[in-house]
Amino acid sequence: MCRYSKSFAAFVFQIAVCTTCAFAQQSYTLPDVLTMSNGKKVTTAKQWFNQRRPELLSLFKKEMYGQSPASPANMSFRVFDEDKKALNGEAIRKQITVYFTGKADGPQMDILLYIPNNVKKAVPAIVGLNFDGNHAVNADPGIKLSASWFDKGKNVVNNRATEAMRGTNASQWPLETIIGRGYAVVTVYRGDIAPDHDHNLNEGVFPLYPELQNRPDNFATVSAWAWGLSRILDYLETDKAIDSKHVAVFGFSRLGKAALWAGATDSRFALVISNESGAGGAKLFHETAGEGIRRLSTKFPFWFCDNFKKYTDQDSVLPFDQHMVISLVAPRPIYIASAEGDLNSNPKGEFMGALAASPVYKLLGTKGLPALTMPPVNTPIIGRIAYHIRTGTHNVTDFDWAQYLNFADQYLKTPAKP
Ligand code: GCU
């Protein structure tokens, strides 16, 4: 047996070289999630919630994700579409425009919502942003074709969506399966909130908050996406068909980074699913393989706040790391998933992020991640923190969804287990 797997503390505080297994190939000291910046140890739930958690939240807002505003005072919702027989009668489709200033000519986003049909009581929901527009998650011709900005790509003409994009992302959004399991599905195009390119401060929701720009802890893109996820939840709280106390936030890749930050900052999300979120998501920067801070800061300099750039090339000595972000979700359930071929995200780094967050879950009386070493492929480990690494590459597959739905059944539908 790997000698480091004998002691959990050894993993968390000092990950060292193991010569007999592939588990720990790097030597680094991970900042301890349960030690305050003044050196005091956190030993009670009260200390965690009253002192350490707020300390970590403000650290990550200042150094990495940037500040984000509260819900806009005059925000309003307009349900502009309702079809009671969508998806062959399986679902009710609703589309809602959120006017962030309460005005139709200001920044806005379109929510696409499918609610399982013939269900008498309010249903739990899974909320996530999409990459390619609401119209791409299903071929349903009733979905509004987005008028937002799109990066150049197949069937995008002059940075606008076209009819040919309908349903092109459906394999990652198995609506019928999710709805069949009793969950509403709720999605918004990421570009409605913040277009995924630089110099975007006059687009999306950024013009609403000029005071959060031109500062080192500026409101940045990942944070804006997370903020948008919270605004979707604001709407869901007004919709009687939704059990808004049982809403999971889901995201894949860059949108998995946003889902994790949304779960960390907004405790109303009852469960978090971070699918292959990689660097700036669940992956530990101290696990330096794959994408690091240099690539994030140069290729996607607008995703995180300007302060974060000063940590370029500091990955292995960073004074904070992503296990602390995962811990901010505790004790709510979180599923972190990797794919064997997704080396940019670094599966081992994602697993280690989950593992190193576990002490907080345990402090709060839950199981945390019930493993010390990475599981074989396609073999989920399920605790309050769940993890799997599946075969294949960077994607969201039916295998992933099958695990997420089982996890949601276990923790969202029935009384939550420790
Ligand atoms: C790039 C980027 C990742 C990101 C991914 C995605 O590969 O390096 O950080 O997660 O895009 O969003 O698909």
Side-chain angles (χ1 to χ4, degrees):
M1 178 173 96
C2 164
R3 68 194 171 98
Y4 297 103
S5 52
K6 283 188 199 142
S7 152
F8 185 76
F11 275 118
V12 177
F13 305 129
Q14 178 76 55
I15 313 274
V17 180
C18 171
T19 49
T20 53
C21 73
F23 179 53
Q25 287 141 2
Q26 264 185 272
S27 180
Y28 55 82
T29 303
L30 203 57
D32 180 18
V33 64
L34 288 175
T35 302
M36 299 280 303
S37 59
N38 64 9
K40 230 172 123 189
K41 297 273 175 213
V42 176
T43 54
T44 65
K46 198 167 157 205
Q47 271 178 303
W48 169 258
F49 285 116
N50 295 348
Q51 294 171 27
R52 182 59 169 156
R53 190 175 185 279
E55 179 177 71
L56 286 173
L57 261 178
S58 55
L59 171 86
F60 280 98
K61 283 183 185 171
K62 184 159 167 275
E63 300 298 322
M64 187 171 169
Y65 294 92
Q67 302 296 326
S68 65
S71 211
N74 299 318
M75 181 168 69
S76 65
F77 310 117
R78 184 173 73 91
V79 180
F80 67 86
D81 166 65
E82 182 160 3
D83 178 355
K84 293 207 157 78
K85 293 207 167 4
L87 304 180
N88 297 319
E90 294 298 311
I92 300 168
R93 184 193 64 235
K94 279 193 196 177
Q95 297 182 81
I96 305 104
T97 302
V98 178
Y99 298 117
F100 293 114
T101 57
K103 294 188 188 135
D105 59 356
Q108 52 195 267
M109 67 179 180
D110 288 335
I111 299 176
L112 171 65
L113 165 59
Y114 285 98
I115 303 163
N117 233 335
N118 307 319
V119 179
K120 297 249 159 11
K121 55 181 191 157
V123 291
I126 300 181
V127 175
L129 302 181
N130 63 70
F131 274 84
D132 299 331
N134 294 350
H135 51 260
V137 305
N138 193 276
D140 178 351
I143 302 174
K144 178 183 165 187
L145 188 72
S146 174
S148 292
W149 182 93
F150 283 78
D151 206 352
K152 54 182 181 305
K154 206 170 168 213
N155 301 318
V156 174
V157 177
N158 298 328
N159 294 108
R160 298 292 150 196
T162 62
E163 288 290 331
M165 287 172 80
R166 287 192 180 281
T168 48
N169 194 214
S171 69
Q172 293 184 344
W173 291 91
L175 298 186
E176 288 85 352
T177 307
I178 304 170
I179 286 157
R181 293 280 288 264
Y183 297 92
V185 185
V186 198
T187 189
V188 165
Y189 170 51
R190 62 186 162 137
D192 283 11
I193 303 158
D196 201 349
H197 61 169
D198 215 345
H199 313 295
N200 56 5
L201 296 180
N202 294 319
E203 300 168 75
V205 298
F206 296 113
L208 296 173
Y209 302 101
E211 71 283 8
L212 293 180
Q213 295 173 19
N214 301 319
R215 47 190 274 176
D217 59 349
N218 54 301
F219 185 33
T221 300
V222 168
S223 201
W225 288 334
W227 179 89
L229 286 161
S230 288
R231 304 293 73 81
I232 301 175
L233 189 47
D234 291 343
Y235 165 75
L236 294 177
E237 287 184 331
T238 70
D239 193 320
K240 289 194 172 51
I242 305 296
D243 173 2
S244 61
K245 296 264 181 289
H246 293 97
V247 173
V249 61
F250 156 84
F252 165 46
S253 206
R254 67 195 68 187
L255 301 178
K257 306 181 207 302
L260 177 57
W261 187 233
T265 50
D266 191 339
S267 308
R268 293 176 302 165
F269 286 114
L271 185 148
V272 177
I273 303 164
S274 162
N275 187 94
E276 296 156 31
S277 57
K283 176 203 122 127
L284 290 182
F285 287 111
H286 282 76
E287 287 284 347
T288 52
E291 185 168 38
I293 300 173
R294 170 167 290 280
R295 188 175 131 102
L296 286 178
S297 306
T298 49
K299 197 156 191 296
F300 310 102
F302 48 94
W303 279 359
F304 298 98
C305 76
D306 286 346
N307 259 340
F308 189 52
K309 296 183 182 61
K310 71 180 180 231
Y311 297 104
T312 299
D313 298 330
Q314 304 294 304
D315 303 57
S316 59
V317 291
L318 207 61
F320 51 85
D321 212 335
Q322 299 304 102
H323 60 308
M324 293 168 162
V325 180
I326 298 168
S327 310
L328 294 171
V329 177
R332 289 166 290 142
I334 180 163
Y335 202 124
I336 293 167
S338 309
E340 200 182 18
D342 182 15
L343 301 183
N344 188 49
S345 297
N346 183 355
K348 186 179 150 223
E350 293 172 323
F351 173 79
M352 293 301 281
L355 179 62
S358 211
V360 177
Y361 277 78
K362 289 189 174 162
L363 177 75
L364 301 178
T366 77
K367 227 189 216 164
L369 182 74
L372 287 173
T373 53
M374 273 183 92
V377 288
N378 303 329
T379 313
I381 311 166
I382 310 292
R384 271 289 173 128
I385 305 176
Y387 176 84
H388 74 240
I389 173 167
R390 63 158 172 76
T391 42
T393 53
H394 195 55
N395 200 353
V396 193
T397 66
D398 289 349
F399 176 86
D400 295 321
W401 275 111
Q403 313 320 314
Y404 303 151
L405 292 171
N406 289 343
F407 188 61
D409 284 355
Q410 192 172 339
Y411 287 102
L412 265 194
K413 278 191 177 164
T414 51
K417 300 193 174 74

